[in-house]
Amino acid sequence: MALWDRVKESASTMQTQLMAKKNDLKSGAFRDSSMAMCALVAAADGSIDPSERQRVAQLIATNEVLQNFPADELRRRFDDYLDKLTADFAFGKVSVLQEVAKAKKKPAEARAVVQIGIVIGGADGDFDPTERAVVREACFALDLPPHEFDL
């Protein structure tokens, strides 16, 4: 199977698993962690262009699992995390990973945050090495083994 097809299949599988847990994913920790994960993936290469920001914002707005929360609140949190990352990527990354770690008390939420990172990373059909690396770092912040997600 071509890499492109594996990326699409993996993102699709993760989205299906997320939908199965939708009713369990309503906490503030999950909301904050998932938006921090989205920002990390969007800024994984150290910069973010407006089209990438818009694409991720659109995915957040249309993801059924995230519809448990008001879209404007999600967008505000996503933008805040992105601002931290664009102001000083290295320092911002430490802060944003701390936000991701909020979900580690509930394993189902922690796994869902990682799955959202994979869905966002694979949305353009190219889950590139820098995106994979930040999702792997998030796994460590959440006390999850990266190999569980093929990272």
Side-chain angles (χ1 to χ4, degrees):
M1 184 184 307
L3 179 62
W4 167 260
D5 292 331
R6 283 200 315 269
V7 168
K8 287 194 308 190
E9 184 179 302
S10 177
S12 176
T13 300
M14 294 296 170
Q15 183 60 31
T16 301
Q17 290 172 0
L18 282 168
M19 284 304 299
K21 298 179 209 155
K22 179 181 178 182
N23 292 331
D24 299 330
L25 303 173
K26 295 182 178 179
S27 76
F30 172 72
R31 177 201 58 215
D32 295 352
S33 295
S34 60
M35 289 304 94
M37 175 63 89
C38 289
L40 270 177
V41 172
D45 61 2
S47 67
I48 182 162
D49 60 61
S51 66
E52 189 175 17
R53 188 179 203 132
Q54 183 56 41
R55 181 177 52 81
V56 175
Q58 180 64 31
L59 280 166
I60 290 168
T62 58
N63 187 295
E64 290 185 52
V65 175
L66 295 174
Q67 288 177 2
N68 286 332
F69 308 101
D72 59 331
E73 185 178 330
L74 293 176
R75 179 150 191 153
R76 184 178 49 76
R77 289 176 190 282
F78 171 68
D79 286 341
D80 288 349
Y81 297 136
L82 272 184
D83 290 346
K84 286 181 181 182
L85 291 165
T86 54
D88 180 338
F89 186 75
F91 185 71
K93 186 172 159 187
V94 171
S95 172
V96 174
L97 279 169
Q98 287 173 338
E99 290 295 318
V100 169
K102 284 183 176 181
K104 76 177 170 184
K105 291 178 185 147
K106 295 183 180 174
E109 288 185 0
R111 283 181 177 78
V113 168
V114 173
Q115 290 170 329
I116 284 175
I118 293 168
V119 168
I120 295 293
D124 62 357
D126 180 28
F127 192 31
D128 69 47
T130 57
E131 292 168 338
R132 291 177 76 85
V134 295
V135 175
R136 192 172 23 258
E137 285 183 69
C139 285
F140 293 123
L142 292 163
D143 292 335
L144 294 172
H147 68 269
E148 183 179 326
F149 304 93
D150 292 327
L151 296 171

